[in-house]
Amino acid sequence: AQTVTQSQPEMSVQEAETVTLSCTYDTSESDYYLFWYKQPPSRQMILVIRQEAYKQQNATENRFSVNFQKAAKSFSLKISDSQLGDAAMYFCAYRFPFSGTYKYIFGTGTRLKVLA
Amino acid sequence: NAGVTQTPKFQVLKTGQSMTLQCAQDMNHEYMSWYRQDPGMGLRLIHYSVGAGITDQGEVPNGYNVSRSTTEDFPLRLLSAAPSQTSVYFCASSADGLETQYFGPGTRLLVL
């Protein structure tokens, strides 16, 4: 069965510094999708970044980038130039590859604190 | 666009009561889903739908029913509420299941 593991319940980073959040997953599929979502105190889930497994190039979105290691089944999120507004829960998610389904598996989350 | 809306925002139920959590989206998305979020558990998929008239079970479907009679609406029914169903419930939608998921603001449910 597919699983997603986030081994860091909580992380802290100084404002303007860089932090990396870890995520590992387990699947026997070769083609799938991986996501990072941000959940601020408002509880809204906000998409941060998406990675297609068939793409070797790591996805980037402004200050957010991923390190996708397919063989190691690792999908870490790097946040550069951290800002106070980055403080939130971050969830890693795996999306099943099959068309006609809409199944995601989420990790348990990492709470990121940004220190001024 | 209002995006994904959920009602109510907060609800208290007694054990054994039934209720329906409402979810609606105005983006003409085919794919919709319901999750529950519990402390330390992340989000777990309850049910999902890939279009009107088509639903399927997720990871934790027991005690919940869904139907999808229109593209816009995807209600979640609790048949006989139990304290174990105390949680925050999120509805999400997506254009084709591979693109961005849009989440609603959540419904906090307390079952006494």
Side-chain angles (χ1 to χ4, degrees):
Chain A
Q2 287 81 354
T3 58
V4 176
T5 302
Q6 294 180 250
S7 59
Q8 307 155 316
E10 191 171 292
M11 293 280 286
S12 296
V13 63
Q14 207 69 32
E15 198 175 5
E17 296 295 311
T18 296
V19 65
T20 299
L21 309 184
S22 300
C23 173
T24 58
Y25 59 94
D26 189 25
T27 183
S28 58
E29 303 296 333
S30 60
D31 190 17
Y32 47 86
Y33 297 79
L34 297 166
F35 301 78
W36 278 99
Y37 282 90
K38 170 185 177 181
Q39 186 182 42
S42 65
R43 294 209 310 254
Q44 270 280 19
M45 293 288 286
I46 303 165
L47 176 67
V48 175
I49 202 164
R50 183 185 80 174
Q51 175 79 44
E52 291 91 340
Y54 63 87
K55 291 185 178 179
Q56 293 186 340
Q57 186 174 5
N58 289 328
T60 61
E61 285 288 341
N62 299 317
R63 297 184 294 106
F64 299 87
S65 62
V66 299
N67 183 6
F68 174 49
Q69 302 289 329
K70 191 173 184 179
K73 298 179 181 176
S74 171
F75 183 60
S76 60
L77 175 70
K78 186 172 81 171
I79 306 174
S80 304
D81 186 25
S82 297
Q83 301 175 359
L84 295 177
D86 295 333
M89 282 290 288
Y90 286 81
F91 291 95
C92 178
Y94 167 95
R95 200 275 191 206
F96 284 65
F98 309 109
S99 62
T101 67
Y102 184 35
K103 285 187 173 182
Y104 283 76
I105 300 291
F106 282 79
T108 52
T110 296
R111 182 173 302 280
L112 178 66
K113 295 184 177 181
V114 181
L115 308 174
Chain B
N1 283 353
V4 180
T5 58
Q6 291 182 237
T7 55
K9 291 184 179 179
F10 178 67
Q11 183 73 45
V12 180
L13 288 180
K14 294 182 180 179
T15 297
Q17 286 184 317
S18 63
M19 80 159 293
T20 298
L21 307 185
Q22 301 292 343
C23 174
Q25 51 89 11
D26 61 359
M27 297 173 282
N28 201 33
H29 285 172
E30 290 293 326
Y31 289 72
M32 296 185 75
S33 59
W34 276 102
Y35 293 89
R36 60 178 289 172
Q37 183 177 24
D38 303 295
M41 299 288 291
L43 280 83
R44 292 183 291 170
L45 181 64
I46 304 171
H47 286 285
Y48 69 93
S49 169
V50 299
I54 306 170
T55 63
D56 204 349
Q57 297 180 350
E59 187 181 355
V60 288
N62 292 341
Y64 307 95
N65 271 359
V66 292
S67 60
R68 184 95 179 272
S69 56
T70 67
T71 299
E72 295 77 20
D73 300 298
F74 190 44
L76 177 72
R77 298 182 188 85
L78 279 70
L79 309 174
S80 177
S84 61
Q85 293 179 304
T86 292
S87 188
V88 179
Y89 291 85
F90 287 95
C91 179
S93 75
S94 172
D96 64 2
L98 295 176
E99 296 298 323
T100 300
Q101 286 201 91
Y102 293 86
F103 282 80
T107 293
R108 187 177 175 197
L109 179 67
L110 176 62
V111 182
L112 302 175

